Amino acid sequence: MNMQKNEIPWYESWFDRNYLQLYQHRNSHEANAQIDLIVRSVGLKKDQRILDLACGDGRYTHLLNSRGYRTVGLDLSRKLIDEGLNKYGPLNLVVGDMRAIPGTYDIILSLFTSFGYFNEDSENYRVFESVKSSLVDGGWFWLDFLNPRFIEENLVSETVTEISSTCQVIERRQIVKNRIVKDIIFFDGSEEKRYRESVRLYSRNELESMFTQAGFKTAGCFGDYQGNQWQEHAERTIIYGKKRH
Ligand SMILES: C[S@@+](CC[C@H](N)C(=O)[O-])C[C@H]1O[C@@H](n2cnc3c(N)ncnc32)[C@H](O)[C@@H]1O
């Protein structure tokens, strides 16, 4: 996992069209369920400024805007943003880094495991600081993250997926120290492309500590997109909190 000098970090190369192909089952049904949960948990209003942090191709930005919410999407991947603009039409999507968020918002959403990407804990914590400085007092931070326990208990070390008649993907997963690491190999015709995903396995307690340290008061924690309360075997860790005045 140690990076060679000058090697591009995994999160700068993986999020392209192939990522969208592999995760196409992450559909609007699931996204709409989470939006319903956000709306009823924080009492989301139409005049509030929302940031979809690490928005990918803007699937959430698009759905929020369709419901009349003022949403900006920010993502590091120019490729995914361009895919989204082609797919959904005009959307307010900007290229940027989650460690240095521009602008001010009433609520910031980090959805579908868009956290824990950096090698150092201090670097991941910088995201909390960046979120805090871009929120108004009393603003909300919503973090939809994995649950390490669920990952450990359900880890399938290798899967093969047929994406199309010519494209096959092998995914190899392992837990290395405190990270879930996935090697992804695309075979498309005669072309082979390799990627890696590596996410720090933050527990609920560790996430709550970061919320508190960064000056947030946590308001709740769900274990799935339907809004069931978190328990140790839950599929997700969805925590939200309010910036203290
Ligand atoms: C798992 S995807 C989730 C995308 C989107 N939230 C969704 O639910 O479809 C993670 C996203 O984080 C983005 N990302 C990775 N590193 C980033 C960074 N340093 N700053 C901003 N976005 C980043 C990737 O480009 C990718 O679009």
Side-chain angles (χ1 to χ4, degrees):
M1 195 120 36
N2 289 335
M3 274 206 325
Q4 301 295 308
K5 243 188 172 170
N6 299 328
E7 198 179 311
I8 297 174
W10 70 268
Y11 52 85
E12 286 186 25
S13 54
W14 167 217
F15 295 107
D16 62 13
R17 185 178 291 192
N18 282 340
Y19 160 79
L20 291 179
Q21 283 211 312
L22 189 61
Y23 283 94
Q24 55 190 296
H25 57 286
R26 295 295 177 173
N27 52 31
S28 56
H29 178 72
E30 178 188 275
N32 269 314
Q34 176 150 224
I35 292 173
D36 290 342
L37 189 59
I38 296 167
V39 170
R40 62 176 189 268
S41 303
V42 308
L44 201 61
K45 295 185 189 63
K46 298 272 159 77
D47 62 349
Q48 288 180 313
R49 290 156 299 175
I50 304 167
L51 178 67
D52 179 6
L53 183 63
C55 63
D57 69 351
R59 67 183 177 125
Y60 275 99
T61 311
H62 161 69
L63 289 173
L64 283 158
N65 277 334
S66 318
R67 293 191 189 199
Y69 294 105
R70 294 164 54 192
T71 315
V72 173
L74 180 139
D75 200 279
L76 197 62
S77 169
R78 171 88 262 166
K79 287 178 183 163
L80 287 194
I81 286 183
D82 287 344
E83 290 282 336
L85 295 174
N86 276 334
K87 198 185 315 180
Y88 303 118
L91 279 181
N92 199 349
L93 303 181
V94 293
V95 177
D97 194 301
M98 60 173 106
R99 292 163 290 187
I101 301 168
T104 306
Y105 297 93
D106 298 297
I107 174 161
I108 296 182
L109 309 169
S110 172
L111 303 170
F112 187 44
T113 322
S114 299
F115 182 73
Y117 291 176
F118 309 112
N119 277 336
E120 303 298 327
D121 285 340
S122 56
E123 202 70 359
N124 288 316
Y125 180 69
R126 267 182 69 192
V127 178
F128 271 82
E129 290 181 327
S130 169
V131 165
K132 191 192 169 201
S133 59
S134 291
L135 278 173
V136 296
D137 285 345
W140 293 99
F141 181 33
W142 180 280
L143 179 62
D144 161 27
F145 195 63
L146 50 75
N147 179 10
R149 183 75 183 264
F150 183 88
I151 297 285
E152 284 155 19
E153 289 173 350
N154 294 280
L155 192 81
V156 179
S157 57
E158 182 168 319
T159 50
V160 180
T161 309
E162 301 283 338
I163 299 270
S164 70
S165 57
T166 59
C167 182
Q168 209 183 43
V169 185
I170 298 179
E171 294 169 84
R172 295 198 182 104
R173 304 169 187 84
Q174 54 180 322
I175 292 172
V176 183
K177 290 189 188 150
N178 52 13
R179 301 183 78 89
I180 171 75
V181 178
K182 185 157 83 171
D183 287 302
I184 308 145
I185 312 160
F186 272 74
F187 298 97
D188 198 351
S190 58
E191 204 185 311
E192 181 185 313
K193 234 177 151 186
R194 288 173 180 264
Y195 302 92
R196 171 164 279 198
E197 226 178 62
S198 168
V199 178
R200 166 73 156 91
L201 291 164
Y202 286 110
S203 66
R204 174 183 173 171
N205 281 346
E206 287 174 311
L207 294 175
E208 285 196 14
S209 298
M210 283 189 272
F211 265 90
T212 306
Q213 195 186 336
F216 289 90
K217 183 173 172 21
T218 51
C221 185
F222 300 110
D224 57 37
Y225 298 131
Q226 284 64 50
N228 289 304
Q229 287 305 310
W230 187 91
Q231 39 86 10
E232 62 179 315
H233 304 284
E235 191 170 348
R236 307 291 299 165
T237 305
I238 303 169
I239 304 192
Y240 66 107
K242 209 171 206 192
K243 178 174 161 179
R244 290 178 190 275
H245 291 270

